[in-house]
Coordinates of all heavy atoms in Angstrom, one line a residue:
M1097 N -95.2 43.1 -9.2 CA -95.6 42.2 -10.2 C -95.0 40.8 -9.8 O -93.9 40.7 -9.4 CB -95.1 42.6 -11.5 CG -95.5 41.8 -12.7 SD -94.9 42.3 -14.3 CE -95.4 44.0 -14.4
K1098 N -95.8 39.8 -9.9 CA -95.4 38.4 -9.6 C -95.8 37.5 -10.7 O -96.7 37.8 -11.5 CB -96.1 37.9 -8.3 CG -95.7 38.6 -7.1 CD -96.4 37.9 -5.9 CE -96.0 38.6 -4.6 NZ -96.6 38.0 -3.4
A1099 N -95.0 36.4 -10.8 CA -95.3 35.4 -11.9 C -94.8 34.1 -11.3 O -93.9 34.0 -10.6 CB -94.7 35.7 -13.2
T1100 N -95.5 33.0 -11.8 CA -95.0 31.7 -11.5 C -94.2 31.2 -12.7 O -94.7 31.3 -13.8 CB -96.2 30.7 -11.2 OG1 -96.9 31.2 -10.1 CG2 -95.7 29.3 -10.8
V1101 N -93.0 30.7 -12.5 CA -92.2 30.2 -13.5 C -91.8 28.8 -13.3 O -91.9 28.3 -12.1 CB -90.9 31.1 -13.7 CG1 -91.3 32.5 -14.1 CG2 -90.1 31.1 -12.5
T1102 N -91.4 28.1 -14.3 CA -91.0 26.7 -14.2 C -89.5 26.6 -14.5 O -89.0 27.2 -15.4 CB -91.8 25.8 -15.1 OG1 -93.2 26.0 -14.8 CG2 -91.4 24.3 -15.0
I1103 N -88.8 25.7 -13.8 CA -87.4 25.4 -14.1 C -87.4 24.1 -14.9 O -87.9 23.1 -14.5 CB -86.6 25.2 -12.8 CG1 -86.6 26.5 -12.0 CG2 -85.1 24.9 -13.2 CD1 -86.0 26.4 -10.6
N1104 N -86.8 24.1 -16.1 CA -86.7 22.9 -16.9 C -85.6 22.0 -16.4 O -84.9 22.3 -15.5 CB -86.7 23.2 -18.4 CG -85.3 23.7 -18.9 OD1 -84.3 23.6 -18.2 ND2 -85.3 24.3 -20.1
S1105 N -85.5 20.8 -17.1 CA -84.5 19.8 -16.7 C -83.1 20.3 -16.7 O -82.2 19.7 -16.1 CB -84.7 18.5 -17.5 OG -84.5 18.8 -18.9
R1106 N -82.8 21.3 -17.5 CA -81.5 21.9 -17.6 C -81.2 23.0 -16.7 O -80.2 23.6 -16.6 CB -81.2 22.4 -19.1 CG -81.1 21.2 -20.1 CD -80.8 21.7 -21.5 NE -80.1 23.0 -21.6 CZ -80.3 23.9 -22.5 NH1 -81.2 23.6 -23.4 NH2 -79.7 25.0 -22.5
G1107 N -82.2 23.3 -15.9 CA -82.1 24.4 -14.9 C -82.4 25.8 -15.4 O -82.2 26.8 -14.8
V1108 N -83.0 25.8 -16.6 CA -83.3 27.1 -17.3 C -84.7 27.6 -16.8 O -85.7 26.8 -16.8 CB -83.3 26.9 -18.8 CG1 -83.8 28.2 -19.5 CG2 -82.0 26.5 -19.3
V1109 N -84.7 28.9 -16.4 CA -86.0 29.5 -16.0 C -86.3 30.6 -17.1 O -85.5 31.4 -17.5 CB -85.8 30.3 -14.7 CG1 -87.1 31.0 -14.3 CG2 -85.4 29.3 -13.6
T1110 N -87.5 30.5 -17.6 CA -88.0 31.5 -18.6 C -88.8 32.6 -17.8 O -89.8 32.2 -17.2 CB -88.8 30.9 -19.7 OG1 -88.0 29.9 -20.3 CG2 -89.2 31.9 -20.7
L1111 N -88.3 33.8 -17.9 CA -89.1 34.9 -17.3 C -90.1 35.4 -18.3 O -89.8 35.6 -19.5 CB -88.2 36.0 -16.9 CG -87.1 35.7 -15.9 CD1 -86.2 37.0 -15.8 CD2 -87.6 35.3 -14.6
P1112 N -91.4 35.6 -17.9 CA -92.4 36.1 -18.8 C -92.0 37.4 -19.4 O -91.3 38.3 -18.8 CB -93.6 36.2 -17.9 CG -93.4 35.3 -16.8 CD -91.9 35.3 -16.6
A1113 N -92.4 37.7 -20.6 CA -92.0 38.9 -21.4 C -92.5 40.1 -20.6 O -91.8 41.1 -20.6 CB -92.7 38.9 -22.8
K1114 N -93.6 40.1 -20.0 CA -94.1 41.2 -19.2 C -93.2 41.6 -18.1 O -92.9 42.8 -17.9 CB -95.5 40.9 -18.7 CG -96.3 42.1 -18.1 CD -97.7 41.6 -17.7 CE -98.5 42.8 -17.3 NZ -99.9 42.4 -17.0
L1115 N -92.6 40.6 -17.4 CA -91.7 40.9 -16.3 C -90.4 41.4 -16.9 O -89.7 42.3 -16.3 CB -91.4 39.6 -15.5 CG -92.4 39.2 -14.4 CD1 -92.0 37.9 -13.8 CD2 -92.4 40.3 -13.4
R1116 N -89.9 40.8 -18.0 CA -88.7 41.3 -18.6 C -88.8 42.7 -19.1 O -87.8 43.5 -18.8 CB -88.3 40.4 -19.8 CG -87.9 39.0 -19.4 CD -87.2 38.2 -20.5 NE -87.9 38.3 -21.8 CZ -88.8 37.4 -22.2 NH1 -89.2 36.3 -21.5 NH2 -89.4 37.5 -23.4
R1117 N -89.9 43.0 -19.7 CA -90.1 44.4 -20.1 C -90.1 45.4 -18.9 O -89.5 46.4 -18.9 CB -91.4 44.6 -20.9 CG -91.2 44.1 -22.4 CD -92.4 44.6 -23.2 NE -93.7 44.0 -22.7 CZ -94.2 42.8 -23.1 NH1 -93.6 42.1 -24.0 NH2 -95.3 42.4 -22.6
A1118 N -90.8 45.0 -17.9 CA -91.0 45.9 -16.7 C -89.6 46.1 -16.0 O -89.3 47.2 -15.5 CB -91.9 45.2 -15.7
A1119 N -88.7 45.1 -16.1 CA -87.4 45.2 -15.4 C -86.4 45.7 -16.4 O -85.2 45.9 -16.0 CB -87.0 43.8 -14.9
G1120 N -86.7 45.8 -17.6 CA -85.7 46.3 -18.6 C -84.7 45.3 -19.0 O -83.6 45.6 -19.3
I1121 N -85.0 44.0 -18.9 CA -84.1 42.9 -19.2 C -84.3 42.6 -20.7 O -85.3 42.3 -21.2 CB -84.5 41.6 -18.3 CG1 -84.3 42.0 -16.9 CG2 -83.6 40.5 -18.7 CD1 -84.9 40.9 -15.9
R1122 N -83.1 42.5 -21.3 CA -83.1 42.3 -22.8 C -82.3 41.0 -23.0 O -81.6 40.5 -22.2 CB -82.4 43.4 -23.5 CG -83.1 44.7 -23.4 CD -82.4 45.8 -24.0 NE -81.0 45.8 -23.5 CZ -80.2 46.8 -23.3 NH1 -80.6 48.0 -23.6 NH2 -79.0 46.7 -22.9
P1123 N -82.5 40.4 -24.2 CA -81.7 39.2 -24.6 C -80.2 39.4 -24.4 O -79.7 40.4 -24.6 CB -82.1 38.9 -26.0 CG -83.4 39.6 -26.2 CD -83.3 40.8 -25.3
D1124 N -79.6 38.4 -23.8 CA -78.1 38.3 -23.6 C -77.7 39.2 -22.4 O -76.5 39.3 -22.2 CB -77.3 38.7 -24.8 CG -77.6 37.7 -26.0 OD1 -77.7 36.5 -25.7 OD2 -77.7 38.1 -27.1
D1125 N -78.6 39.8 -21.7 CA -78.2 40.6 -20.5 C -77.7 39.5 -19.4 O -78.2 38.4 -19.4 CB -79.4 41.3 -19.8 CG -79.7 42.6 -20.5 OD1 -79.0 43.0 -21.4 OD2 -80.7 43.3 -20.1
Q1126 N -76.7 39.9 -18.7 CA -76.2 39.0 -17.6 C -76.9 39.4 -16.3 O -77.1 40.6 -16.0 CB -74.7 39.1 -17.5 CG -74.0 38.6 -18.7 CD -72.5 38.5 -18.5 OE1 -71.9 39.2 -17.7 NE2 -71.9 37.7 -19.3
M1127 N -77.2 38.4 -15.5 CA -77.9 38.6 -14.3 C -77.1 37.9 -13.2 O -76.4 36.9 -13.4 CB -79.3 38.0 -14.4 CG -80.2 38.5 -15.5 SD -80.6 40.2 -15.5 CE -81.7 40.3 -14.1
I1128 N -77.3 38.4 -12.0 CA -76.7 37.8 -10.8 C -77.9 37.2 -10.0 O -78.9 37.9 -9.8 CB -76.0 38.9 -9.9 CG1 -74.8 39.4 -10.7 CG2 -75.6 38.3 -8.6 CD1 -74.1 40.6 -10.0
V1129 N -77.7 36.0 -9.6 CA -78.7 35.3 -8.7 C -78.0 35.0 -7.4 O -76.9 34.5 -7.4 CB -79.2 34.0 -9.4 CG1 -80.2 33.3 -8.5 CG2 -79.8 34.2 -10.8
E1130 N -78.7 35.5 -6.3 CA -78.1 35.2 -5.0 C -79.2 34.8 -4.1 O -80.3 35.1 -4.2 CB -77.3 36.4 -4.5 CG -78.1 37.7 -4.4 CD -77.3 38.8 -4.0 OE1 -76.7 39.5 -4.9 OE2 -77.2 39.1 -2.8
T1131 N -78.8 34.0 -3.1 CA -79.7 33.6 -2.0 C -79.8 34.7 -1.0 O -78.8 35.3 -0.6 CB -79.3 32.3 -1.4 OG1 -78.0 32.4 -0.8 CG2 -79.3 31.1 -2.4
T1132 N -81.0 34.9 -0.5 CA -81.3 35.8 0.6 C -82.2 35.1 1.6 O -82.7 34.0 1.3 CB -82.0 37.1 0.1 OG1 -83.4 36.7 -0.3 CG2 -81.3 37.7 -1.1
P1133 N -82.3 35.6 2.8 CA -83.2 35.0 3.8 C -84.7 34.8 3.2 O -85.4 33.9 3.6 CB -83.2 36.0 4.9 CG -81.9 36.7 4.8 CD -81.7 36.8 3.4
E1134 N -85.1 35.7 2.3 CA -86.4 35.6 1.7 C -86.5 34.7 0.5 O -87.6 34.3 0.1 CB -86.9 37.0 1.2 CG -87.1 38.0 2.4 CD -85.8 38.7 2.8 OE1 -84.8 38.7 2.0 OE2 -85.7 39.1 4.0
G1135 N -85.4 34.2 0.0 CA -85.4 33.3 -1.2 C -84.3 33.7 -2.2 O -83.2 34.1 -1.8
L1136 N -84.6 33.7 -3.5 CA -83.6 34.0 -4.5 C -83.8 35.5 -4.9 O -85.0 35.9 -5.1 CB -83.7 33.1 -5.7 CG -83.4 31.6 -5.5 CD1 -83.6 30.8 -6.8 CD2 -81.9 31.5 -5.1
L1137 N -82.7 36.2 -5.2 CA -82.8 37.5 -5.7 C -82.1 37.5 -7.1 O -81.0 37.0 -7.2 CB -82.1 38.5 -4.8 CG -81.9 39.9 -5.3 CD1 -83.2 40.6 -5.4 CD2 -81.0 40.7 -4.3
L1138 N -82.8 38.0 -8.1 CA -82.3 38.1 -9.4 C -82.1 39.6 -9.7 O -83.0 40.4 -9.6 CB -83.3 37.5 -10.4 CG -82.9 37.5 -11.9 CD1 -81.7 36.6 -12.2 CD2 -84.1 37.1 -12.7
R1139 N -80.8 40.0 -10.1 CA -80.6 41.4 -10.4 C -79.6 41.6 -11.5 O -78.8 40.6 -11.8 CB -80.1 42.2 -9.1 CG -78.8 41.6 -8.5 CD -78.6 42.3 -7.2 NE -77.4 41.7 -6.5 CZ -76.2 42.1 -6.7 NH1 -75.9 43.2 -7.4 NH2 -75.2 41.5 -6.1
P1140 N -79.6 42.7 -12.2 CA -78.7 42.9 -13.3 C -77.3 42.9 -12.9 O -76.9 43.4 -11.8 CB -79.1 44.3 -13.9 CG -80.4 44.6 -13.3 CD -80.5 43.8 -12.0
A1141 N -76.4 42.3 -13.7 CA -75.0 42.3 -13.5 C -74.4 43.5 -14.2 O -74.7 43.7 -15.3 CB -74.3 41.0 -13.9
V1142 N -73.5 44.1 -13.6 CA -72.8 45.2 -14.2 C -71.5 44.7 -14.8 O -70.7 44.1 -14.1 CB -72.4 46.4 -13.2 CG1 -71.6 47.5 -13.9 CG2 -73.7 46.9 -12.6
T1143 N -71.4 44.7 -16.1 CA -70.2 44.2 -16.8 C -69.6 45.4 -17.6 O -70.3 46.2 -18.2 CB -70.6 43.1 -17.8 OG1 -71.6 43.5 -18.7 CG2 -71.1 41.9 -17.0
L1144 N -68.3 45.4 -17.6 CA -67.6 46.4 -18.4 C -66.7 45.8 -19.4 O -66.0 44.8 -19.1 CB -66.7 47.3 -17.4 CG -67.5 47.9 -16.3 CD1 -66.5 48.6 -15.3 CD2 -68.4 49.0 -16.8
P1145 N -66.7 46.3 -20.6 CA -65.9 45.7 -21.6 C -64.4 46.0 -21.3 O -64.1 47.0 -20.8 CB -66.3 46.3 -22.9 CG -66.9 47.6 -22.5 CD -67.5 47.4 -21.1
I1146 N -63.5 45.1 -21.7 CA -62.1 45.3 -21.5 C -61.4 45.2 -22.9 O -61.9 44.6 -23.8 CB -61.5 44.3 -20.5 CG1 -61.6 42.9 -21.0 CG2 -62.0 44.5 -19.1 CD1 -60.7 41.9 -20.3
E1147 N -60.3 45.8 -23.0 CA -59.5 45.7 -24.2 C -58.2 45.1 -23.9 O -57.5 45.5 -22.9 CB -59.3 47.1 -24.8 CG -58.5 47.1 -26.1 CD -58.2 48.5 -26.6 OE1 -58.8 49.5 -26.1 OE2 -57.5 48.6 -27.6
I1148 N -57.9 44.0 -24.6 CA -56.6 43.4 -24.5 C -55.7 44.0 -25.5 O -56.0 43.9 -26.7 CB -56.7 41.9 -24.6 CG1 -57.6 41.3 -23.5 CG2 -55.3 41.2 -24.6 CD1 -57.9 39.9 -23.6
Y1149 N -54.6 44.7 -25.1 CA -53.8 45.4 -26.0 C -52.8 44.6 -26.8 O -52.1 43.8 -26.2 CB -53.0 46.5 -25.2 CG -53.9 47.4 -24.4 CD1 -53.7 47.6 -23.1 CD2 -54.9 48.1 -25.1 CE1 -54.6 48.5 -22.4 CE2 -55.7 49.0 -24.4 CZ -55.6 49.2 -23.0 OH -56.4 50.0 -22.4
S1150 N -52.8 44.8 -28.1 CA -51.9 44.1 -29.0 C -50.5 44.9 -28.9 O -50.5 46.0 -28.3 CB -52.4 44.1 -30.4 OG -52.4 45.5 -30.8
E1151 N -49.5 44.3 -29.4 CA -48.2 44.9 -29.4 C -48.3 46.2 -30.2 O -47.7 47.2 -29.8 CB -47.1 44.0 -30.0 CG -46.7 42.8 -29.1 CD -46.2 43.3 -27.8 OE1 -45.4 44.3 -27.8 OE2 -46.5 42.7 -26.8
A1152 N -49.0 46.3 -31.3 CA -49.2 47.5 -32.1 C -49.9 48.6 -31.3 O -49.5 49.7 -31.3 CB -50.0 47.2 -33.3
R1153 N -50.9 48.2 -30.5 CA -51.6 49.2 -29.6 C -50.7 49.7 -28.5 O -50.7 50.9 -28.2 CB -52.9 48.5 -29.1 CG -53.8 49.5 -28.3 CD -54.5 50.3 -29.3 NE -55.6 51.0 -28.6 CZ -55.8 52.3 -28.6 NH1 -55.0 53.1 -29.3 NH2 -56.7 52.9 -28.0
L1154 N -49.9 48.8 -27.9 CA -49.0 49.3 -26.9 C -47.9 50.2 -27.5 O -47.6 51.2 -26.8 CB -48.3 48.1 -26.3 CG -49.1 47.1 -25.4 CD1 -48.4 45.9 -25.0 CD2 -49.6 47.9 -24.2
K1155 N -47.5 50.0 -28.7 CA -46.6 50.9 -29.4 C -47.2 52.2 -29.6 O -46.6 53.3 -29.4 CB -46.1 50.3 -30.7 CG -45.1 51.1 -31.4 CD -44.7 50.4 -32.7 CE -43.7 51.3 -33.5 NZ -43.4 50.9 -34.8
E1156 N -48.5 52.2 -30.0 CA -49.3 53.5 -30.2 C -49.2 54.3 -28.9 O -49.0 55.5 -28.9 CB -50.7 53.2 -30.5 CG -51.1 53.3 -32.0 CD -52.6 53.0 -32.1 OE1 -53.4 53.8 -31.7 OE2 -52.9 52.0 -32.7
F1157 N -49.5 53.6 -27.8 CA -49.5 54.3 -26.5 C -48.2 54.9 -26.2 O -48.1 56.1 -25.7 CB -49.9 53.4 -25.3 CG -51.3 52.9 -25.3 CD1 -51.7 51.6 -24.9 CD2 -52.4 53.8 -25.7 CE1 -53.0 51.2 -24.9 CE2 -53.7 53.4 -25.6 CZ -54.0 52.1 -25.2
A1158 N -47.1 54.2 -26.4 CA -45.8 54.7 -26.1 C -45.5 55.9 -27.0 O -44.9 56.9 -26.5 CB -44.8 53.5 -26.4
E1159 N -45.8 55.8 -28.2 CA -45.6 57.0 -29.1 C -46.3 58.2 -28.7 O -45.8 59.3 -28.7 CB -46.0 56.6 -30.6 CG -45.1 55.6 -31.2 CD -45.6 55.0 -32.5 OE1 -46.7 55.3 -32.9 OE2 -44.9 54.2 -33.2
E1160 N -47.6 58.1 -28.3 CA -48.4 59.2 -27.9 C -47.8 59.8 -26.5 O -47.8 61.0 -26.3 CB -49.9 58.8 -27.7 CG -50.6 58.5 -29.0 CD -50.5 59.7 -30.0 OE1 -50.7 60.8 -29.6 OE2 -50.2 59.4 -31.2
E1161 N -47.4 58.9 -25.7 CA -46.8 59.4 -24.4 C -45.5 60.1 -24.7 O -45.2 61.1 -24.0 CB -46.6 58.2 -23.4 CG -47.9 57.7 -22.8 CD -47.6 56.7 -21.8 OE1 -46.5 56.4 -21.4 OE2 -48.7 56.1 -21.3
A1162 N -44.7 59.7 -25.6 CA -43.5 60.4 -26.0 C -43.8 61.8 -26.5 O -43.1 62.8 -26.2 CB -42.7 59.6 -27.0
K1163 N -44.9 61.9 -27.3 CA -45.3 63.2 -27.8 C -45.7 64.1 -26.6 O -45.3 65.3 -26.6 CB -46.5 63.1 -28.8 CG -46.1 62.5 -30.1 CD -47.4 62.3 -30.9 CE -47.2 61.5 -32.2 NZ -48.4 61.3 -32.9
L1164 N -46.4 63.6 -25.7 CA -46.8 64.4 -24.5 C -45.6 64.8 -23.7 O -45.6 66.0 -23.2 CB -47.8 63.5 -23.6 CG -49.2 63.4 -24.1 CD1 -50.0 62.5 -23.2 CD2 -49.9 64.8 -24.2
E1165 N -44.7 63.9 -23.6 CA -43.4 64.3 -22.8 C -42.8 65.5 -23.5 O -42.3 66.4 -22.8 CB -42.4 63.1 -22.8 CG -42.9 61.9 -22.1 CD -42.3 61.8 -20.7 OE1 -41.3 62.4 -20.5 OE2 -42.9 61.1 -19.9
T1166 N -42.7 65.5 -24.8 CA -42.2 66.7 -25.5 C -42.9 68.0 -25.2 O -42.4 69.0 -25.0 CB -42.1 66.4 -27.0 OG1 -41.5 65.1 -27.3 CG2 -41.5 67.5 -27.8
V1167 N -44.3 67.9 -25.3 CA -45.1 69.0 -25.0 C -44.9 69.5 -23.6 O -44.7 70.7 -23.4 CB -46.6 68.7 -25.3 CG1 -47.5 69.8 -24.8 CG2 -46.9 68.4 -26.7
F1168 N -44.9 68.6 -22.6 CA -44.7 69.1 -21.3 C -43.3 69.6 -21.0 O -43.2 70.6 -20.2 CB -45.0 67.9 -20.3 CG -46.5 67.5 -20.2 CD1 -46.8 66.2 -20.2 CD2 -47.5 68.5 -20.2 CE1 -48.2 65.8 -20.2 CE2 -48.8 68.1 -20.1 CZ -49.2 66.8 -20.1
A1169 N -42.3 69.1 -21.7 CA -41.0 69.6 -21.5 C -40.9 71.0 -22.0 O -40.3 71.9 -21.4 CB -40.0 68.7 -22.2
R1170 N -41.5 71.3 -23.2 CA -41.5 72.6 -23.8 C -42.2 73.6 -22.9 O -41.8 74.7 -22.6 CB -42.1 72.6 -25.1 CG -41.2 72.2 -26.2 CD -41.8 72.4 -27.6 NE -42.7 71.2 -27.7 CZ -43.4 71.0 -28.8 NH1 -43.5 71.9 -29.7 NH2 -44.1 69.9 -28.9
R1171 N -43.4 73.2 -22.3 CA -44.1 74.1 -21.4 C -43.3 74.4 -20.1 O -43.4 75.5 -19.6 CB -45.5 73.4 -21.0 CG -46.5 73.4 -22.1 CD -47.8 72.9 -21.7 NE -48.7 72.9 -22.8 CZ -49.9 72.3 -22.7 NH1 -50.3 71.8 -21.6 NH2 -50.7 72.4 -23.7
G1172 N -42.6 73.4 -19.6 CA -41.8 73.6 -18.4 C -40.7 74.6 -18.7 O -40.4 75.4 -17.8
K1173 N -40.1 74.6 -19.8 CA -39.0 75.5 -20.2 C -39.5 76.9 -20.2 O -38.8 77.8 -19.8 CB -38.3 75.1 -21.5 CG -37.5 73.8 -21.4 CD -36.9 73.5 -22.7 CE -36.1 72.2 -22.6 NZ -35.6 71.8 -23.9
R1174 N -40.7 77.1 -20.7 CA -41.3 78.5 -20.8 C -41.6 79.1 -19.5 O -41.4 80.2 -19.3 CB -42.6 78.4 -21.6 CG -42.4 78.3 -23.1 CD -43.7 78.5 -23.8 NE -43.8 77.4 -24.8 CZ -44.9 77.0 -25.3 NH1 -46.0 77.5 -24.9 NH2 -44.9 76.0 -26.2
R1175 N -42.0 78.2 -18.5 CA -42.3 78.7 -17.2 C -41.0 79.1 -16.4 O -41.1 79.9 -15.5 CB -43.0 77.7 -16.4 CG -44.4 77.5 -16.9 CD -45.2 76.5 -16.1 NE -46.5 76.2 -16.7 CZ -47.2 75.2 -16.5 NH1 -46.8 74.3 -15.6 NH2 -48.3 75.0 -17.1
G1176 N -40.0 78.4 -16.7 CA -38.7 78.5 -15.9 C -38.0 79.8 -16.3 O -37.7 80.7 -15.8

């Protein structure tokens, strides 16, 4: 599928809805644009959400790890 598109004065390119649907591109999707010997290549960007841990969340992790240590220590004593 091919389409002719226009770049506006701000550098924005609007992809026709038919192309977006065919490629599975939705609003707010991030894309990577790179140059190739044939021209420009537009492809989906893979983005992964990250979590920035608060002090409370870090404390939760520490508490859960302490519980696991207790469980593993008990299991180790039974085997020995």
Side-chain angles (χ1 to χ4, degrees):
M1097 184 180 305
K1098 292 183 181 183
T1100 301
V1101 297
T1102 303
I1103 301 172
N1104 73 15
S1105 61
R1106 292 182 23 217
V1108 176
V1109 176
T1110 301
L1111 299 175
K1114 193 174 185 178
L1115 278 176
R1116 292 192 313 268
R1117 279 193 300 272
I1121 300 170
R1122 296 177 311 214
D1124 299 320
D1125 280 357
Q1126 293 188 336
M1127 307 295 291
I1128 295 173
V1129 180
E1130 58 186 86
T1131 57
T1132 70
E1134 293 81 25
L1136 294 176
L1137 172 64
L1138 178 68
R1139 59 190 175 91
V1142 176
T1143 56
L1144 303 172
I1146 61 167
E1147 181 179 353
I1148 298 174
Y1149 302 125
S1150 65
E1151 288 300 319
R1153 188 75 167 125
L1154 291 171
K1155 184 179 176 190
E1156 260 182 68
F1157 289 145
E1159 290 168 356
E1160 292 302 318
E1161 284 185 11
K1163 289 177 190 175
L1164 284 174
E1165 296 259 341
T1166 305
V1167 170
F1168 290 137
R1170 276 187 281 178
R1171 285 185 183 173
K1173 287 180 185 175
R1174 282 190 229 156
R1175 288 185 187 158

